[in-house]
Amino acid sequence: MTFELQAQDPGSNARAGKVTTAHGVIETPIFMPVGTAATVKAVHQRELKEDIQAQIILGNTYHLYLRPGLDILEKAGGLHKFNGWDKPILTDSGGYQVFSLSGTRKIIEEGVKFKSHIDGSTHLFTPENVMDTQRTIGADIIMAFDECTPYPCEYDYAKNSMHRTHRWLKRCCERFDSTEGKYGFDQTLFPIVQGSTFRDLRTQSAEYIASMNREGNAIGGLSVGEPAEMMYEMTDLVCSILPKDKPRYLMGVGTPANILENIALGVDMFDCVLPTRNARNGMLFTTQGIINIRNQRWKDDFSPIDAELGGYTSTFYSKAYLRHLIHAQEYLAGMIASVHNLTFYLWLVKQAREQIKAGTFAAWKNVMVEKLMTRL
Ligand SMILES: CNc1nc2cc3nc(NC)[nH]c3cc2c(=O)[nH]1
């Protein structure tokens, strides 16, 4: 994997770049739709590619390991073959899902013991077997096995957890660097910065992660309930330490405003379930602001969901029609709203990229953040 820095904004730390992977090119800043269990929920691969124009999607190691399971994925020739997505894929390493999904889990030096949220069976994720699992899934970019500390978090817990995450990272690198891709293409391992919301720990973790000299770096432990200002302070600090010539991936972020603010701080890659999860509840992000389509006021508004956004789904269907579908709990409701929200997120990062290349991002960002937060 390579990263080419293409432009830097004069009024902020925002940058535009190009990541090249075995399955194609990613233009940054980029938003990565989350495809938890081998699918971006309710969205066809064709829509992802043509309407949303996604360039890379996520898969979750925890979910894929439990279902369909590694034997099926290996027989299929990896996740790209299994779900038919032939562009880049990034998988997270399962640590976060174990903490957020599995009822019972126990952290030991070896790794994390947990019970499947599907059938209660017990499993152990270790740095080594999570590398092997991600080799079998076959994502272009895979994540180190780490602990995402909760918020708030005691200083001593955050310190001990960070050091364990660093020990786990060393084991991930040793295992990954001593194995090959299973399907004839190269994969890349990103380490993850932790340290919760403590400046000294964040500095220590960012310096250690930078010293591993991997092809890209991730920022973890954020978007876990901390105030946005705290997120921005930690991201700013970490981005000032991580190397400029490597892509920076801020995990689990975020709202449109969070994404623009973090682009200004120097982040290149984002993922979040918000666009698809909110869509299913009728919360739409639009170029004019946020719409709760369930609201009475859209009952007889036959204008397109978002005429400015373009794209088939956002212009073909009306607000009144989508409101009807949501109230009727029709499957098509989630499908339309998900494609719309993801089209918006990809549109937003594309606009940011154009503004950075034009050198006008800083002022544009401030106007956009205000506009995007408007509740219509
Ligand atoms: C795979 N490791 C890993 N995933 C994460 C996913 C996240 N998703 C959020 N908010 C939705 N924060 C996150 C942090 C981490 C993190 O610190 N580590």
Side-chain angles (χ1 to χ4, degrees), residues 92-96 143-144 146 148 192 194 220-224 251-252:
D92 78 10
S93 54
Y96 183 79
M143 303 311 289
D146 65 333
C148 172
I192 303 171
Q194 292 294 342
L222 293 173
S223 188
V224 286
M251 307 186 82

mmCIF file of all heavy atoms in Angstrom, residues 92-96 143-144 146 148 192 194 220-224 251-252, ligand 1:
data_model
loop_
_atom_site.group_PDB
_atom_site.id
_atom_site.type_symbol
_atom_site.label_atom_id
_atom_site.label_comp_id
_atom_site.label_asym_id
_atom_site.label_seq_id
_atom_site.Cartn_x
_atom_site.Cartn_y
_atom_site.Cartn_z
ATOM 1 N N ASP A 92 -11.777 -4.186 10.760
ATOM 2 C CA ASP A 92 -11.271 -3.888 12.093
ATOM 3 C C ASP A 92 -11.007 -5.238 12.746
ATOM 4 O O ASP A 92 -11.436 -6.281 12.253
ATOM 5 C CB ASP A 92 -12.231 -3.002 12.866
ATOM 6 C CG ASP A 92 -13.397 -3.770 13.424
ATOM 7 O OD1 ASP A 92 -13.363 -5.001 13.374
ATOM 8 O OD2 ASP A 92 -14.344 -3.135 13.899
ATOM 9 N N SER A 93 -10.292 -5.234 13.854
ATOM 10 C CA SER A 93 -9.700 -6.491 14.345
ATOM 11 C C SER A 93 -10.585 -7.200 15.356
ATOM 12 O O SER A 93 -10.204 -8.229 15.901
ATOM 13 C CB SER A 93 -8.362 -6.187 15.008
ATOM 14 O OG SER A 93 -8.583 -5.195 16.000
ATOM 15 N N GLY A 94 -11.759 -6.658 15.633
ATOM 16 C CA GLY A 94 -12.661 -7.385 16.526
ATOM 17 C C GLY A 94 -12.622 -6.922 17.962
ATOM 18 O O GLY A 94 -13.585 -7.128 18.697
ATOM 19 N N GLY A 95 -11.560 -6.277 18.361
ATOM 20 C CA GLY A 95 -11.451 -5.843 19.761
ATOM 21 C C GLY A 95 -12.649 -5.012 20.164
ATOM 22 O O GLY A 95 -13.297 -5.262 21.174
ATOM 23 N N TYR A 96 -12.980 -4.035 19.374
ATOM 24 C CA TYR A 96 -14.049 -3.101 19.726
ATOM 25 C C TYR A 96 -15.382 -3.829 19.840
ATOM 26 O O TYR A 96 -16.136 -3.630 20.784
ATOM 27 C CB TYR A 96 -14.135 -2.012 18.668
ATOM 28 C CG TYR A 96 -15.165 -0.950 18.977
ATOM 29 C CD1 TYR A 96 -14.891 0.053 19.894
ATOM 30 C CD2 TYR A 96 -16.420 -0.972 18.378
ATOM 31 C CE1 TYR A 96 -15.831 1.025 20.192
ATOM 32 C CE2 TYR A 96 -17.365 -0.013 18.662
ATOM 33 C CZ TYR A 96 -17.064 0.990 19.569
ATOM 34 O OH TYR A 96 -18.006 1.947 19.851
ATOM 35 N N MET A 143 -6.514 -4.183 10.824
ATOM 36 C CA MET A 143 -6.208 -3.412 12.029
ATOM 37 C C MET A 143 -5.560 -4.281 13.096
ATOM 38 O O MET A 143 -5.859 -5.478 13.203
ATOM 39 C CB MET A 143 -7.488 -2.789 12.601
ATOM 40 C CG MET A 143 -8.248 -1.901 11.637
ATOM 41 S SD MET A 143 -7.222 -0.699 10.816
ATOM 42 C CE MET A 143 -6.879 0.403 12.182
ATOM 43 N N ALA A 144 -4.691 -3.675 13.856
ATOM 44 C CA ALA A 144 -4.037 -4.373 14.974
ATOM 45 C C ALA A 144 -5.079 -4.742 16.031
ATOM 46 O O ALA A 144 -6.166 -4.169 16.065
ATOM 47 C CB ALA A 144 -2.974 -3.471 15.598
ATOM 48 N N ASP A 146 -6.335 -4.485 19.597
ATOM 49 C CA ASP A 146 -6.108 -3.488 20.651
ATOM 50 C C ASP A 146 -7.261 -3.496 21.631
ATOM 51 O O ASP A 146 -8.283 -4.148 21.418
ATOM 52 C CB ASP A 146 -5.998 -2.101 20.018
ATOM 53 C CG ASP A 146 -7.307 -1.668 19.379
ATOM 54 O OD1 ASP A 146 -8.096 -2.562 18.975
ATOM 55 O OD2 ASP A 146 -7.561 -0.463 19.290
ATOM 56 N N CYS A 148 -9.925 -0.830 23.059
ATOM 57 C CA CYS A 148 -10.477 0.522 23.005
ATOM 58 C C CYS A 148 -10.963 0.849 24.415
ATOM 59 O O CYS A 148 -11.943 0.288 24.893
ATOM 60 C CB CYS A 148 -11.647 0.579 22.031
ATOM 61 S SG CYS A 148 -12.528 2.156 22.080
ATOM 62 N N ILE A 192 -2.780 1.070 16.074
ATOM 63 C CA ILE A 192 -3.826 1.966 16.580
ATOM 64 C C ILE A 192 -3.351 2.704 17.834
ATOM 65 O O ILE A 192 -2.947 2.071 18.814
ATOM 66 C CB ILE A 192 -5.104 1.164 16.907
ATOM 67 C CG1 ILE A 192 -5.574 0.392 15.662
ATOM 68 C CG2 ILE A 192 -6.204 2.093 17.430
ATOM 69 C CD1 ILE A 192 -6.694 -0.607 15.931
ATOM 70 N N GLN A 194 -3.740 4.566 21.288
ATOM 71 C CA GLN A 194 -4.690 4.612 22.384
ATOM 72 C C GLN A 194 -4.253 5.701 23.372
ATOM 73 O O GLN A 194 -3.639 6.685 22.962
ATOM 74 C CB GLN A 194 -4.800 3.228 23.056
ATOM 75 C CG GLN A 194 -5.447 2.162 22.166
ATOM 76 C CD GLN A 194 -6.914 2.430 21.855
ATOM 77 O OE1 GLN A 194 -7.570 3.227 22.545
ATOM 78 N NE2 GLN A 194 -7.425 1.802 20.806
ATOM 79 N N GLY A 220 -7.417 5.322 17.771
ATOM 80 C CA GLY A 220 -8.528 4.627 18.424
ATOM 81 C C GLY A 220 -8.887 5.299 19.737
ATOM 82 O O GLY A 220 -8.354 6.352 20.083
ATOM 83 N N GLY A 221 -9.827 4.650 20.459
ATOM 84 C CA GLY A 221 -10.165 5.125 21.798
ATOM 85 C C GLY A 221 -10.962 6.404 21.829
ATOM 86 O O GLY A 221 -11.129 7.025 22.878
ATOM 87 N N LEU A 222 -11.462 6.836 20.665
ATOM 88 C CA LEU A 222 -12.282 8.054 20.614
ATOM 89 C C LEU A 222 -13.648 7.730 20.023
ATOM 90 O O LEU A 222 -13.896 6.600 19.611
ATOM 91 C CB LEU A 222 -11.566 9.141 19.806
ATOM 92 C CG LEU A 222 -10.285 9.685 20.446
ATOM 93 C CD1 LEU A 222 -9.552 10.642 19.505
ATOM 94 C CD2 LEU A 222 -10.576 10.382 21.775
ATOM 95 N N SER A 223 -14.544 8.744 20.031
ATOM 96 C CA SER A 223 -15.928 8.519 19.597
ATOM 97 C C SER A 223 -16.563 7.412 20.455
ATOM 98 O O SER A 223 -17.213 6.511 19.956
ATOM 99 C CB SER A 223 -15.966 8.136 18.111
ATOM 100 O OG SER A 223 -17.308 8.106 17.667
ATOM 101 N N VAL A 224 -16.261 7.503 21.739
ATOM 102 C CA VAL A 224 -16.799 6.533 22.709
ATOM 103 C C VAL A 224 -17.600 7.259 23.792
ATOM 104 O O VAL A 224 -17.738 6.775 24.910
ATOM 105 C CB VAL A 224 -15.680 5.676 23.347
ATOM 106 C CG1 VAL A 224 -15.162 4.655 22.346
ATOM 107 C CG2 VAL A 224 -14.545 6.553 23.872
ATOM 108 N N MET A 251 -10.969 6.158 13.947
ATOM 109 C CA MET A 251 -11.937 5.057 13.975
ATOM 110 C C MET A 251 -13.268 5.465 14.594
ATOM 111 O O MET A 251 -13.311 6.104 15.644
ATOM 112 C CB MET A 251 -11.339 3.874 14.745
ATOM 113 C CG MET A 251 -9.976 3.471 14.198
ATOM 114 S SD MET A 251 -9.315 1.994 14.963
ATOM 115 C CE MET A 251 -10.190 0.764 14.004
ATOM 116 N N GLY A 252 -14.356 5.118 13.873
ATOM 117 C CA GLY A 252 -15.694 5.296 14.429
ATOM 118 C C GLY A 252 -16.232 6.711 14.364
ATOM 119 O O GLY A 252 -17.173 7.050 15.080
HETATM 120 C C1 LIG B 1 -10.346 -2.459 15.922
HETATM 121 N N1 LIG B 1 -9.964 -1.617 17.010
HETATM 122 C C2 LIG B 1 -10.636 -0.523 17.367
HETATM 123 N N2 LIG B 1 -11.830 -0.222 16.810
HETATM 124 C C3 LIG B 1 -12.490 0.917 17.225
HETATM 125 C C4 LIG B 1 -13.759 1.206 16.721
HETATM 126 C C5 LIG B 1 -14.431 2.344 17.176
HETATM 127 N N3 LIG B 1 -15.684 2.828 16.920
HETATM 128 C C6 LIG B 1 -15.808 3.931 17.684
HETATM 129 N N4 LIG B 1 -16.918 4.712 17.756
HETATM 130 C C7 LIG B 1 -18.119 4.323 17.086
HETATM 131 N N5 LIG B 1 -14.697 4.199 18.414
HETATM 132 C C8 LIG B 1 -13.815 3.198 18.133
HETATM 133 C C9 LIG B 1 -12.544 2.922 18.629
HETATM 134 C C10 LIG B 1 -11.890 1.776 18.188
HETATM 135 C C11 LIG B 1 -10.597 1.425 18.729
HETATM 136 O O1 LIG B 1 -10.031 2.120 19.589
HETATM 137 N N6 LIG B 1 -10.020 0.270 18.296
#
